[in-house]
Amino acid sequence: MSNKFPQKQVIASLLTVLSFTNILAQQKTAQPNLGSRNVEILRIQNLSFKDLNKNKKLDRYEDWRLPISERIKDLVSQMTLEEKVGFMLISTTRMGGDNVFGGAPAAGTATPINDGFNEEDLIQNTNMFTRKPLSAPNMAAAGTTKGVRQLHLRHFILRANAAPEIMAKWSNNLQALCEDTRLGIPAIVASNPRNHVTTDASVGLSVGVTAFSKWPGELGLAAMRDFALTRQFAEIASKEWRAVGLRKGYMYMADLATEPRWQRVEGTFGEDADLTSRMIQEIIVGFQGKKLGAQSVAMTTKHFPGGGPQVDGQDSHFDWGKFAHYPGGMFDYHVKPFKAAIAAGTSAIMPYYSAPIGKEFEEVGFSFNKAMINDLLQEKLGFHGIINSDTGPIEMMPWGVENLSITERYQKALNAGVDVFSGAANPSTLLETVKKGMVSEERINQSVAKLLKEKFELGLFENPYVDVEEAKQIIGNKASTDLANLALRKSIVLLRNEEQVLPVKKKTKVYFETYFNTGRNADIIKVAKPQYPDVEFVSNKEEADVILVWLIPNGGGLFSSQGTKIDLRLSDNRIDVNHVNELINSKPTIVAINYTNPWVIEEIDKGKTKSILATFGTTQEALLDIVTGKYNPTGKMPFTTPINMKAVEENKSDVPGYMEGPNYGLFPFGHGLSYK
């Protein structure tokens, strides 16, 4: 039998294989940077490992050389059932001086937010959203030390808006506390968005303007149509978050704004499934990277299978808005952006509270809906990451399962596929569910393994600590701010410019005011002349050649809802239309409107409104750069604006405006003019 390969060629091939094997071995054993405060470092074969369980030997879960699957298996085997169920809750955590959800402190008793812990349990007897009594008291937040040491909590939501230095120190203090427990399992801290100009910065939606770099609202990012800049936004925000110890994002919304009255449109990327899919893809990859690692913030894409098509626009935080429907038969259209999120590698997906009607699914909230989560999301769409419930479906929003006990609700949600429950800090009822045999410990182990996998991949077991000085340098630095300022300008849309008033010409006298609360005097904006030397800003309209009025309509925010009919006309959203019309009729007037919903502007659009701009969460400086021509507008509308309220009321909630027919839209999706 002859040898087909020459000896030299065989030797060369062997050397190549050995070299490649050696490279793999070096990669596998590369010493990671370890961060520790309360555990010893074990030295083995010139390598370092953290002795997380303090037993003076190297356990498999502590050995960073091993595959993550082996580390998970070892750690799960060492965890008690109590530790496992505590691990499956994610609840609000409060910094020292942070009283979120607790009501305003008595006058003179408030303490500034600091890097210590809030050690008080927060017990709620009423639903904080519907303001109705709960069937049983709910611990919405535990005292920090108790939560970590006794309740075994390791997943937290931080809602406080604090200075970066304080956040970073607090994060390190929390991780040191977790490290000083039996198994030394680190915490993961999540947050809602922190990098946007937003109108409704309600707890649970957005933190609003912070020390972090300040970008347009989500609708504004979509209006840019600049996917490279969108990716840069996500990469910058991810770096800022990591700098203060935030490693999990409760964001972004892949929901579609097909129902113009829905009270959460501001947090979407608009009505188009393809645009939203692209935005979600860029943002997930920007925050996470191509895969989870030590330089990632793990994303939680929400709200599966799409929260947009709410009946009459009422939101399912409330019992008067508990149902989603699909009168246009476009259920699959709303799922499309979640497919993009899965393809991009999103770490977690959050189902919404809503119960679907008019579809083949059981009429129960999506967190309880096995056909929706297990059958569709996991089996058909192939998502194998974490299923994270929204805040409170077990205790507060059990739509369709109101008659089940709390343990039965846990059972149904676990059987549907939920892995981690948001909104409760006391695991005793979940523990009871397992001990009664309603779900097996093996089912619990499946969820715990998923949650551990995220932590291992993020490198938290090796080093959960941050550099406080570095955080101060990273957050909102000049390079990040410059890009954010560009985005703020690119997000503005020129809707109409019939008489070419825009951009205002040299030596024009401009009177600039914002007017958004009926019954209040207008806010007159004074602009320093050096900023715009060719334009003179005057203090009254009589002196002006041109009036600029910036309207900020506001329906009161999601959590002020009373279940009454939602009206998108400006007069129903804190705009004094008589005042605006007086301005329009007195002088050439530029009307800028901040869109958090597709407002109906027929009350001021009577043939005399020649110049209209759309903003989606931006700054005064960005708007003035557009008005004065320092920046040429390039933005495009992320949704269609209805022509009147009749069109709104007759719309099909699951159908995007550009598909509603020729008589629906005033400004269509994708509309946007430029000066050149």
Side-chain angles (χ1 to χ4, degrees):
M1 182 173 169
S2 63
N3 187 346
K4 295 181 179 180
F5 299 101
Q7 187 175 9
K8 289 184 179 180
Q9 191 171 339
V10 171
I11 292 172
S13 298
L14 285 172
L15 288 173
T16 300
V17 171
L18 289 171
S19 176
F20 182 68
T21 303
N22 187 47
I23 290 171
L24 288 178
Q26 289 176 350
Q27 288 176 341
K28 192 173 183 180
T29 59
Q31 174 69 60
N33 177 36
L34 302 182
S36 65
R37 300 287 176 88
N38 291 310
V39 297
E40 293 183 11
I41 300 297
L42 302 174
R43 309 288 180 182
I44 300 173
Q45 297 176 348
N46 295 321
L47 298 174
S48 300
F49 305 86
K50 294 171 69 173
D51 185 17
L52 291 167
N53 63 1
K54 298 92 179 164
N55 66 354
K56 309 293 185 182
K57 66 178 184 179
L58 182 63
D59 289 77
R60 296 184 72 78
Y61 84 91
E62 299 164 342
D63 190 343
W64 42 260
R65 298 170 299 181
L66 296 176
I68 286 176
S69 59
E70 291 188 30
R71 300 180 72 185
I72 292 170
K73 184 178 180 181
D74 179 55
L75 182 50
V76 170
S77 72
Q78 294 194 42
M79 294 174 73
T80 65
L81 180 58
E82 287 76 11
E83 288 168 335
K84 292 172 185 176
V85 296
F87 201 68
M88 291 176 63
L89 300 185
I90 180 168
S91 57
T92 295
T93 187
R94 300 185 294 171
M95 301 171 68
D98 175 12
N99 202 41
V100 66
F101 291 143
T109 64
T111 302
I113 293 178
N114 56 73
D115 58 23
F117 301 142
N118 185 323
E119 298 291 17
E120 294 183 12
D121 295 341
L122 176 60
I123 307 297
Q124 295 177 328
N125 293 298
T126 59
N127 185 323
M128 61 184 172
F129 302 119
T130 65
R131 300 168 289 280
K132 294 182 178 181
L134 293 173
S135 58
N138 176 51
M139 183 189 289
T144 305
T145 302
K146 171 185 173 180
V148 169
R149 292 194 182 280
Q150 298 178 35
L151 304 179
H152 312 294
L153 305 179
R154 291 296 185 277
H155 294 81
F156 300 101
I157 311 165
L158 184 66
R159 307 187 189 277
N161 188 351
E165 180 180 4
I166 293 173
M167 291 177 66
K169 288 180 178 178
W170 170 84
S171 175
N172 285 343
N173 291 339
L174 176 64
Q175 296 294 1
L177 174 65
C178 293
E179 196 175 67
D180 192 36
T181 56
R182 189 178 77 87
L183 295 171
I185 299 174
I188 189 168
V189 183
S191 174
N192 292 110
R194 289 178 176 263
N195 291 80
H196 303 286
V197 180
T198 179
T199 298
D200 191 3
S202 301
V203 172
L205 303 183
S206 172
V207 183
V209 175
T210 66
F212 292 28
S213 57
K214 183 165 59 180
W215 297 73
E218 290 90 331
L219 289 168
L221 290 179
M224 296 191 313
R225 299 299 201 278
D226 187 331
F227 302 116
L229 187 53
T230 298
R231 174 75 69 88
Q232 286 180 292
F233 148 71
E235 291 171 345
I236 288 169
S238 178
K239 189 174 183 179
E240 292 180 327
W241 282 47
R242 298 193 311 270
V244 296
L246 295 174
R247 300 300 302 276
K248 191 176 184 70
Y250 256 20
M251 58 202 186
Y252 276 82
M253 290 169 57
D255 312 279
L256 301 177
T258 53
E259 169 48 75
R261 292 168 290 187
W262 187 37
Q263 294 153 304
R264 301 194 68 176
V265 166
E266 185 179 22
T268 74
F269 296 112
E271 70 181 17
D272 182 65
D274 291 325
L275 174 59
T276 297
S277 295
R278 182 68 187 275
M279 294 296 292
I280 284 289
Q281 176 188 358
E282 297 296 341
I283 284 175
I284 288 173
V285 174
F287 269 94
Q288 292 190 169
K290 294 293 185 181
K291 62 180 182 178
L292 284 191
Q295 303 303 311
S296 302
V297 171
M299 299 300 279
T300 306
T301 306
K302 54 189 189 179
H303 305 86
F304 190 79
Q310 293 295 124
V311 176
D312 297 330
Q314 300 289 351
D315 188 76
S316 56
H317 275 86
F318 311 101
D319 51 0
W320 52 78
K322 66 178 67 173
F323 292 115
H325 66 155
Y326 307 92
M330 296 193 70
F331 175 85
D332 291 341
Y333 186 77
H334 288 262
V335 173
K336 189 172 186 179
F338 292 93
K339 293 180 179 179
I342 294 168
T346 187
S347 184
I349 287 180
M350 178 184 289
Y352 211 30
Y353 304 113
S354 315
I357 56 175
K359 190 66 183 168
E360 66 268 23
F361 300 113
E362 183 184 6
E363 287 189 11
V364 297
F366 291 129
S367 286
F368 303 102
N369 206 309
K370 186 175 181 180
M372 192 69 66
I373 298 175
N374 181 75
D375 300 352
L376 175 59
L377 179 56
Q378 294 178 318
E379 293 190 4
K380 185 175 180 181
L381 300 183
F383 179 66
H384 303 299
I386 296 164
I387 306 294
N388 191 137
S389 88
D390 210 331
T391 300
I394 300 294
E395 302 83 10
M396 294 185 290
M397 281 79 77
W399 309 142
V401 297
E402 292 92 337
N403 294 330
L404 297 183
S405 67
I406 300 294
T407 54
E408 289 171 331
R409 293 173 193 172
Y410 272 121
Q411 179 188 40
K412 190 170 181 66
L414 286 163
N415 287 339
V418 173
D419 297 304
V420 59
F421 295 91
S422 181
N426 187 346
S428 60
T429 311
L430 177 55
L431 179 64
E432 180 186 351
T433 306
V434 184
K435 286 188 171 181
K436 283 183 174 179
M438 299 171 71
V439 295
S440 67
E441 187 168 353
E442 179 54 36
R443 170 65 189 88
I444 297 299
N445 290 346
Q446 292 170 7
S447 291
V448 171
K450 283 188 187 181
L451 297 167
L452 285 172
K453 181 173 182 286
E454 182 181 67
K455 278 191 170 70
F456 276 117
E457 289 178 336
L458 290 171
L460 290 171
F461 278 86
E462 275 61 68
N463 188 9
Y465 299 101
V466 297
D467 185 322
V468 175
E469 290 304 313
E470 189 176 74
K472 291 192 290 184
Q473 296 169 13
I474 289 173
I475 306 299
N477 64 34
K478 186 180 184 303
S480 301
T481 300
D482 287 347
L483 281 172
N485 285 338
L486 174 63
L488 290 166
R489 286 148 180 78
K490 296 192 78 166
S491 71
I492 297 172
V493 181
L494 176 60
L495 295 175
R496 187 182 292 165
N497 195 22
E498 290 182 358
E499 295 180 354
Q500 305 298 305
V501 174
L502 287 165
V504 295
K505 297 173 178 59
K506 290 184 178 182
K507 299 184 179 180
T508 299
K509 294 181 178 180
V510 178
Y511 170 68
F512 180 18
E513 73 172 44
T514 63
Y515 195 91
F516 53 93
N517 284 323
T518 301
R520 280 185 53 185
N521 293 326
D523 293 320
I524 301 170
I525 308 299
K526 296 181 180 180
V527 181
K529 189 173 181 62
Q531 204 171 352
Y532 301 96
D534 297 330
V535 177
E536 182 181 354
F537 287 88
V538 296
S539 58
N540 61 74
K541 65 183 180 183
E542 286 73 25
E543 295 180 57
D545 302 313
V546 172
I547 295 170
L548 169 61
V549 58
W550 190 10
L551 308 180
I552 318 290
N554 187 345
L558 170 63
F559 297 126
S560 69
S561 174
Q562 300 292 329
T564 55
K565 180 180 176 182
I566 299 171
D567 194 318
L568 294 181
R569 288 175 295 184
L570 296 177
S571 60
D572 204 58
N573 291 276
R574 303 185 184 184
I575 299 297
D576 187 333
V577 296
N578 291 328
H579 174 77
V580 177
N581 282 324
E582 286 176 8
L583 295 177
I584 292 171
N585 290 326
S586 66
K587 295 280 178 74
T589 301
I590 302 160
V591 178
I593 305 169
N594 192 66
Y595 283 89
T596 55
N597 282 81
W599 304 119
V600 171
I601 67 169
E602 59 180 334
E603 294 164 306
I604 65 167
D605 188 29
K606 301 181 185 298
K608 293 186 177 180
T609 311
K610 306 297 185 182
S611 303
I612 304 176
L613 291 161
T615 66
F616 304 93
T618 191
T619 60
Q620 171 189 307
E621 292 77 15
L623 176 61
L624 287 176
D625 277 3
I626 297 291
V627 169
T628 60
K630 289 179 72 173
Y631 193 88
N632 180 36
T634 57
K636 306 296 180 186
M637 288 299 284
F639 49 54
T640 303
T641 61
I643 196 164
N644 53 36
M645 272 307 295
K646 183 175 184 290
V648 171
E649 290 164 355
E650 293 177 354
N651 94 96
K652 293 181 176 64
S653 294
D654 59 330
V655 177
Y658 67 83
M659 294 185 187
E660 290 282 5
N663 299 319
Y664 177 81
L666 175 64
F667 300 115
F669 168 80
H671 176 70
L673 308 174
S674 294
Y675 298 148
K676 301 171 185 176

